[in-house]
Amino acid sequence: MKRIGILTSGGDAPGMNAAIRAVTKTAIHHGLEVVGIRYGFAGLVAGDFVPLTAEDVDHKISQGGTFLYSARYPEFAQEEVQKKGAEQLRKHGIDAVIVIGGDGSYHGALALTRLGINSVGLPGTIDNDIPYTEYTIGFDSACRTAMDAIDKIRDTASSHHRVFIVNVMGRECGDIAMRVGLASGADAIVIPERPYDIKAIAETLKQGFADGKDHGLVVLAEGVMEAEDFKNELLKYGDFDARGNVLGHMQRGGSPTVEDRVNATKMGNYAVNLLLDGKGGLAVGMENGQPNTHDILDLFDGKHQGDYSLLDVNEEMTKN
Ligand code: F6P
């Protein structure tokens, strides 16, 4: 193996640049050449490649987004398109690829491995929704950003004695909502993986005001419903003043936290060593703070398990 490629795919996440940096520096240390593939699998098929040096990644560890750019490219599910991608890699002498992205990206990494280009996936998504890993790159930064935003929302909620229902990202996964809800002192955390009782939530909020609280806060995972719809449902059971708020894509931006930088660096370094050992078709994850691997095929059958004890802790403190 002489030359490896690296790409970022799907929704961007803070820490992707730190992972690209770690891959580049580790590979160069082992005498490999590194090629950045821009715009994810779309750029792979188009042959949008740039050589990467250690200097190119020197100032990237603190930057949000991905300097290789990203794209959602469902066309890569087609075998013909996958073959075109593999041909581009062969044409440019690229022997192996590291893919940083969400679960969709793993299908691409597996397809390339099956076409003879060893590929390894790194979990890069703010959603923390990937099976067999306790952590995905960007999750901690997104939680931090959402928590900071909610702290500001609480100020205005308190001034007006209002209830705010705040939508956080995560697709069908409630991990961001659980962590941010607990960190923000929410009266209720609502996620897609668990049933909820909207009448009971309204009672909790009413009781809060009756006890002298000056605001109410519901942290709502986007996979449940829109904040505005939840507010309308909630108001059927309580006559408080309420507003819905969608935090949206701001959660994907900003400089990565220490945890994201450190974990992205560890996993990027680990992934290069897997390729040096001639391995492919693997997904890197974190377990007890250390990188591990699983067969990508296992991921397709697996289901991410969140830390649902966070909900229990919150309920014990907030329910009437
Ligand atoms: O997967 C990351 C994520 O930010 C989700 O939390 C969100 O549902 C989705 O991407 C938004 O996608 P897009 O940027 O394509 O609107």
Side-chain angles (χ1 to χ4, degrees):
M1 189 172 68
K2 288 201 171 67
R3 188 177 293 160
I4 66 167
I6 178 161
L7 63 84
T8 48
S9 165
D12 65 343
M16 281 183 163
N17 283 330
I20 299 166
R21 171 184 175 273
V23 166
T24 304
K25 293 216 170 202
T26 306
I28 289 171
H29 172 82
H30 287 285
L32 300 173
E33 290 174 37
V34 184
V35 175
I37 302 165
R38 307 198 316 161
Y39 302 101
F41 288 101
L44 167 63
V45 173
D48 191 347
F49 298 163
V50 283
L52 291 181
T53 63
E55 291 72 39
D56 289 329
V57 294
D58 260 350
H59 295 282
K60 299 290 191 272
I61 196 162
S62 59
Q63 289 177 15
T66 160
F67 80 96
L68 288 179
Y69 307 112
S70 191
R72 300 198 191 278
Y73 188 59
E75 292 86 342
F76 205 72
Q78 299 162 31
E79 213 179 311
E80 283 316 297
V81 182
Q82 293 166 359
K83 282 183 181 159
K84 276 190 197 158
E87 273 165 34
Q88 286 284 16
L89 292 168
R90 287 206 180 87
K91 202 166 98 187
H92 289 82
I94 298 170
D95 309 300
V97 175
I98 290 175
V99 174
I100 309 169
D103 49 359
S105 317
Y106 288 104
H107 287 272
L110 184 61
L112 291 177
T113 302
R114 285 177 170 162
L115 289 167
I117 313 273
N118 267 349
S119 298
V120 168
L122 293 191
T125 166
I126 64 164
D127 297 339
N128 210 41
D129 59 350
I130 296 182
Y132 302 119
T133 181
E134 62 199 13
Y135 162 89
T136 59
I137 296 166
F139 173 61
D140 189 56
S141 303
C143 288
R144 171 83 209 215
T145 300
M147 183 191 74
D148 286 348
I150 291 174
D151 283 349
K152 295 185 172 78
I153 288 172
R154 195 189 305 100
D155 289 346
T156 175
S158 300
S159 304
H160 291 269
H161 280 240
R162 276 179 179 153
V163 171
F164 267 79
I165 295 101
V166 183
N167 255 151
V168 294
M169 277 187 166
R171 286 188 195 277
E172 294 307 312
C173 178
D175 280 22
I176 295 179
M178 286 192 288
R179 205 167 156 83
V180 170
L182 200 67
S184 305
D187 298 286
I189 302 169
V190 186
I191 63 167
E193 299 97 320
R194 288 285 183 272
Y196 62 93
D197 179 347
I198 201 155
K199 195 169 168 218
I201 293 172
E203 290 304 323
T204 300
L205 292 164
K206 277 195 278 190
Q207 191 60 49
F209 284 122
D211 292 344
K213 245 189 120 175
D214 59 9
H215 71 283
L217 174 66
V218 179
V219 174
L220 174 67
E222 65 174 358
V224 178
M225 68 172 83
E226 283 279 330
E228 205 57 26
D229 295 335
F230 193 91
K231 182 195 81 177
N232 293 334
E233 281 298 306
L234 195 64
L235 289 178
K236 290 180 187 164
Y237 305 101
D239 58 356
F240 32 72
D241 190 11
R243 294 286 186 278
N245 183 282
V246 180
L247 293 186
H249 286 79
M250 67 176 302
Q251 293 161 96
R252 292 226 304 250
S255 179
T257 59
V258 173
E259 187 174 6
D260 275 329
R261 294 183 200 193
V262 170
N263 286 344
T265 301
K266 275 166 124 173
M267 288 197 282
N269 168 271
Y270 189 78
V272 174
N273 281 293
L274 291 173
L275 293 180
L276 286 166
D277 288 346
K279 293 180 181 156
L282 295 175
V284 177
M286 294 292 283
E287 198 178 343
N288 300 323
Q290 294 306 324
N292 68 0
T293 54
H294 281 274
D295 201 303
I296 288 180
L297 272 178
D298 293 344
L299 261 67
F300 300 152
D301 297 331
K303 177 139 179 50
H304 171 76
Q305 285 301 318
D307 178 5
Y308 304 110
S309 71
L310 299 181
L311 286 184
D312 302 332
V313 171
N314 205 53
E315 281 191 8
E316 202 178 328
M317 295 188 304
T318 53
K319 263 202 173 159
N320 306 315

